[in-house]
Amino acid sequence: MQLTSSSQSFIHFAKLVIRRAFVVGQCKNGHVVCDVCRVHIHGTCPSCREPVGDIRCRALENVIAGMAFPCSFRSHGCTQLLKHTERRDHEALLCLHAPFACPLHGCAYSGLLLYDHIHDAHTIDYVVSFAGSSWWVWLRRSRPFMVLLDSVDRRVFMLLNGGDIRSGQSLSVVCLGQRPAADQLLEYKLEVGGAGQLGVLSLSACSVPCMRSWAGQHPTDGFLFVPDAYWTSFNSVVVNVHVQRSSEVDS
């Protein structure tokens, strides 16, 4: 998109620059274009037919970098105005008005009341409610996850069961919800009891990632590996999950 004199077009241009590459090029006559659009016009200025893009318009890039834009969740009630450098973290991690998507197959719910939605709308056997910080879960090997509802803090957790590891499964925990206060962390512990002569497997003090939606991704920096030998003849294991808050200073 080529920049015109109208303020509405300028704001739209600025949003395109931020969304795409945050690079503004210009021809020798001062006509500007975003870096992605430069490719579409084959590097030729549509106004004067001079080459465009070899020169960066740093002044305009700095102006756009200093502009504040509404949060993407303005329609959900957020009134924050944010610079480009602030917006990504705000929308991904900090916005109190960001909706959360239901992870259950076929459900299109996305909103701020995910706990209430799952509690009221999904009475199925892979949703487990608990009142406290520790609970037992009967996990089938073929089930990709269990939804865990914390009725005290009204948080939604997921016990993930990854099948992408040779000779076993990877278990981990994520939270579908807001991150705790800045000086606190959510941590979890997992324990799987062994059968017969097998010992107990455990994973302690692992940080819980918080997210708005789950699209099949599994944490790679912390999980409990459960070898094939631990799964019963019914292809199940019993998992003890313990979630707690901890001070970031203490950790």
Side-chain angles (χ1 to χ4, degrees):
M1 173 184 175
Q2 187 182 4
L3 183 59
T4 70
S5 59
S6 79
S7 59
Q8 185 175 1
S9 293
F10 176 73
I11 292 174
H12 181 58
F13 178 84
K15 288 181 177 179
L16 285 177
V17 171
I18 289 174
R19 187 181 306 121
R20 293 177 175 179
F22 209 76
V23 173
V24 178
Q26 67 179 36
C27 69
K28 69 177 184 179
N29 293 318
H31 302 122
V32 296
V33 67
C34 76
D35 199 49
V36 176
C37 290
R38 180 187 61 82
V39 176
H40 295 314
I41 62 175
H42 306 292
T44 301
C45 178
S47 297
C48 64
R49 312 308 298 173
E50 291 288 344
V52 62
D54 293 335
I55 307 170
R56 288 183 65 172
C57 186
R58 301 284 185 178
L60 186 53
E61 289 178 0
N62 290 336
V63 169
I64 294 174
M67 294 176 66
F69 294 93
C71 172
S72 296
F73 306 114
R74 178 175 55 179
S75 61
H76 292 273
C78 184
T79 59
Q80 291 282 337
L81 293 175
L82 305 148
K83 294 182 179 179
H84 167 67
T85 53
E86 305 167 334
R87 192 176 179 187
R88 181 175 297 178
D89 284 347
H90 170 81
E91 292 177 354
L93 303 171
L94 304 174
C95 183
L96 298 178
H97 301 275
F100 301 98
C102 181
L104 298 172
H105 180 70
C107 183
Y109 175 85
S110 179
L112 299 178
L113 303 176
L114 182 60
Y115 173 92
D116 295 325
H117 162 75
I118 295 178
H119 184 272
D120 297 339
H122 297 292
T123 55
I124 48 182
D125 61 352
Y126 47 89
V127 175
V128 179
S129 297
F130 68 99
S133 59
S134 183
W135 69 106
W136 293 91
V137 179
W138 182 265
L139 179 65
R140 297 177 186 173
R141 182 167 184 153
S142 60
R143 183 158 291 162
F145 62 82
M146 297 284 288
V147 176
L148 312 172
L149 301 180
D150 178 358
S151 61
V152 175
D153 289 339
R154 303 181 74 79
R155 283 186 174 273
V156 177
F157 296 94
M158 296 178 68
L159 173 62
L160 303 180
N161 179 20
D164 55 347
I165 296 182
R166 184 177 180 180
S167 303
Q169 304 284 110
S170 64
L171 306 185
S172 56
V173 174
V174 299
C175 174
L176 291 179
Q178 296 288 344
R179 297 173 65 183
D183 60 342
Q184 289 187 329
L185 297 171
L186 283 173
E187 293 183 337
Y188 73 91
K189 300 178 182 179
L190 295 179
E191 185 176 279
V192 174
Q197 300 299 317
L198 298 176
V200 174
L201 300 174
S202 64
L203 175 68
S204 298
C206 194
S207 179
V208 180
C210 294
M211 56 188 66
R212 293 203 313 267
S213 63
W214 185 73
Q217 68 273 32
H218 292 261
T220 58
D221 56 349
F223 58 85
L224 177 64
F225 174 66
V226 182
D228 291 338
Y230 276 75
W231 298 84
T232 69
S233 57
F234 299 101
N235 277 326
S236 301
V237 291
V238 177
V239 186
N240 177 247
V241 184
H242 179 78
V243 177
Q244 65 183 11
R245 292 176 182 265
S246 64
S247 169
E248 194 167 12
V249 175
D250 293 341
S251 63

